[in-house]
Amino acid sequence: MDHFLYQNGILHAEDVAVPEIAAQVGTPFYLYCAATLRRHYRLFDDALEGMDHLVCYAMKANSNQAVLKLLANMGAGMDVVSGGEYARAKAAGVPGERIVFSGIGKTRDEMRMALIGGIRQFNVESEPEMVALNEVALSLGLVAPITVRVNPDVDAKTHAKIATGKSENKFGIPISRASQVYAQAAKMKGLQVIGIDVHIGSQLTELAPYKAAYKKVAELTKQLRAEGHTITRLDLGGGLGIPYERSNEAPPLPVEYGQLIKETLGDLGCEIEIEPGRLIAGNAGILVTQVIYVKQGEDRQFLIVDAAMNDLIRPAMYEAHHDIIPVVEAAAGVAQTPYDIVGPVCESGDTFAKHRDLAPMNAGELVAFRSAGAYGAVMASEYNSRPMIPEVLVDGHQFAVIRARPSLEDMINRDTIPEWL
Ligand code: LLP
């Protein structure tokens, strides 16, 4: 659910009319609802009630400082995958003991930064990484708490580009080698093994793959304990999907996911961490864009909007569907017409939707792409020298620009012309 609803025929974000924001900020822009972010964080937190747990928001989904601060204020931990994300989490006031460091290619500099700044744990993904982390920790006179990310060889049944739990994927160590790797880790004085990590993919729309993976984690926990390791924490990753196409999608709810965790892992006495990103931020955001032209093609009509693939790359990159709605609600009974909705970038891939039915639209009117709060702004670029678009946060009656649109000069001045040219 979200807080983008029509009131008197005008799309609102909580209590603020979207056209009012568009008039002040200009289009295109990302718009987030604080109420939805809070609600979704709470759904996960409540789903794990009764178990010792921490919800570590996967901030790669949306790492704006205001979003991080809002979640940090609620007690959220953060899952980070780079030194940049670690620094962002710290800047938003997240204490080191609530930051988990994931990712297959952590550099020694990133390890050093997190060890000095404070870290809850590193999720280690290979033997060479383990060796490097041990060396860095020893050189600082510190001990790095770790889990090892295992690859359970489970098909997450999601888009191939975001599936991570099959043996052919680059992530984690094969679960069949876990015993060996934990034995190696136990000998390293700079590491303290505390648990197991798993993450099988993103935008999962069924619970069965989680169940298969978590059963393997339960077995592995018992096996490693029998081999003398202390396993007190299980990081179960993120990945729970959201309904991008409201008319025909109903992915499992966080409460059902929590129930599955309790059923498969609840008797192990471990502290549970989860790393949801998309479900917290995805439906908390929309992308608001304006129609520049309505163009008649040979056999179709194009709606050319002022947002493009550089602002929201998901349709071009994953053939992703985003519901698209007019900001001024169509009058009841108006016949819909199919449009190809495209941006101004000079690539045919810059197409948000094909044959999408909408009430007839005119130049100057606003449309909103739903479910754009996760993997939207964070994946944007300035391709075609289109400056990054602003982000706005609504909270009840108030709104604020939480990232301003750079001027053309700002954009150009990031480059330097060498004096010898
Ligand atoms: N934990 C780890 C280790 C991850 O790699 C990810 C996402 C998450 C947690 C959060 O997953 P979520 O709950 O958000 O599904 N850009 C793609 C999604 C990439 C996901 C990468 N890893 C998209 O736009 O669909």
Side-chain angles (χ1 to χ4, degrees):
M1 103 156 241
D2 63 43
H3 295 78
F4 298 104
L5 296 169
Y6 291 108
Q7 291 178 30
N8 300 321
I10 306 290
L11 189 66
H12 279 61
E14 303 190 35
D15 301 323
V16 184
V18 172
E20 191 189 318
I21 304 173
Q24 279 196 34
V25 177
T27 57
F29 62 97
Y30 279 102
L31 178 57
Y32 311 127
C33 283
T36 317
L37 290 166
R38 292 196 187 100
R39 180 186 142 81
H40 289 168
Y41 170 76
R42 243 180 244 122
L43 288 178
F44 279 112
D45 202 30
D46 291 351
L48 295 178
E49 209 191 311
M51 301 182 94
D52 189 7
H53 71 271
L54 184 67
V55 178
C56 295
Y57 169 61
M59 60 181 274
K60 62 170 77 67
N62 184 325
S63 52
N64 187 289
Q65 288 291 291
V67 171
L68 302 185
K69 178 76 179 156
L70 177 151
L71 294 169
N73 285 349
M74 298 181 77
M78 297 288 153
D79 170 50
V80 310
V81 293
S82 68
E85 284 196 349
Y86 180 85
R88 276 188 174 276
K90 289 298 287 278
V94 184
E97 65 265 24
R98 278 200 260 137
I99 304 177
V100 167
F101 208 138
S102 297
I104 63 163
K106 300 173 203 82
T107 64
R108 285 167 192 255
D109 282 346
E110 288 173 325
M111 292 169 177
R112 212 168 283 121
M113 175 182 197
L115 280 166
I116 294 168
I119 191 79
R120 181 175 181 82
Q121 99 231 3
F122 292 90
N123 294 331
V124 172
E125 299 217 21
S126 67
E127 288 105 322
E129 185 195 345
M130 211 161 80
V131 171
L133 182 58
N134 182 51
E135 284 173 12
V136 174
L138 289 176
S139 74
L140 294 168
L142 295 168
V143 176
I146 67 157
T147 71
V148 175
R149 177 169 175 182
V150 292
N151 184 321
D153 196 20
V154 165
D155 183 356
K157 301 209 173 75
T158 183
H159 192 285
K161 284 188 182 156
I162 53 175
T164 56
K166 286 287 286 175
S167 58
E168 73 230 37
N169 300 131
K170 64 182 179 180
F171 299 97
I173 57 135
I175 198 162
S176 55
R177 259 212 340 262
S179 188
Q180 226 175 296
V181 173
Y182 275 84
Q184 196 184 338
K187 292 194 202 110
M188 297 187 176
K189 299 264 184 301
L191 305 182
Q192 186 199 1
V193 176
I194 55 170
I196 305 172
D197 172 44
V198 71
H199 169 76
I200 57 174
S202 193
Q203 186 54 17
L204 271 71
T205 52
E206 302 172 31
L207 287 181
Y210 281 121
K211 190 167 182 182
Y214 294 171
K215 277 184 160 173
K216 290 189 179 190
V217 169
E219 277 166 33
L220 181 62
T221 305
K222 289 174 195 157
Q223 184 196 330
L224 292 174
R225 282 176 172 170
E227 290 167 9
H229 302 286
T230 309
I231 304 294
T232 55
R233 185 180 292 168
L234 301 176
D235 182 332
L236 304 176
L240 199 59
I242 63 172
Y244 277 101
E245 204 167 341
R246 270 143 214 261
S247 50
N248 66 9
E249 276 182 311
L253 303 172
V255 64
E256 295 166 322
Y257 174 63
Q259 202 49 46
L260 174 78
I261 292 175
K262 288 176 189 169
E263 278 163 27
T264 49
L265 300 160
D267 61 346
L268 296 169
C270 284
E271 182 183 12
I272 300 293
E273 278 166 8
I274 53 171
E275 303 168 348
R278 189 190 311 267
L279 201 146
I280 292 182
N283 281 331
I286 60 175
L287 170 57
V288 180
T289 178
Q290 189 175 59
V291 177
I292 309 175
Y293 299 115
V294 182
K295 170 172 168 172
Q296 186 64 54
E298 174 74 19
D299 61 349
R300 65 193 66 207
Q301 279 203 300
F302 295 99
L303 216 56
I304 304 173
V305 297
D306 64 1
M309 64 190 287
N310 68 298
D311 304 310
L312 176 67
I313 199 154
R314 303 195 66 261
M317 191 151 174
Y318 315 108
E319 297 85 37
H321 173 103
H322 286 263
D323 279 349
I324 300 176
I325 57 169
V327 167
V328 176
E329 196 174 19
V334 169
Q336 298 205 322
T337 177
Y339 289 108
D340 278 17
I341 299 162
V342 302
V345 161
C346 302
E347 295 198 23
S348 294
D350 185 21
T351 297
F352 291 115
K354 287 191 167 166
H355 306 297
R356 192 67 73 81
D357 284 334
L358 281 178
M361 298 288 304
N362 297 304
E365 290 179 336
L366 300 174
V367 291
F369 296 179
R370 284 185 166 280
S371 312
Y375 306 113
V378 285
M379 293 181 79
S381 74
E382 290 182 336
Y383 184 40
N384 277 208
S385 287
R386 297 167 44 86
M388 300 288 270
I389 65 176
E391 296 174 84
V392 177
L393 180 69
V394 167
D395 193 358
H397 287 94
Q398 53 189 344
F399 72 90
V401 174
I402 56 173
R403 179 182 289 172
R405 191 190 307 275
S407 67
L408 295 179
E409 292 69 39
D410 293 339
M411 184 178 69
I412 294 164
N413 289 338
R414 280 205 292 271
D415 302 355
T416 316
I417 300 178
E419 60 189 22
W420 36 263
L421 275 184

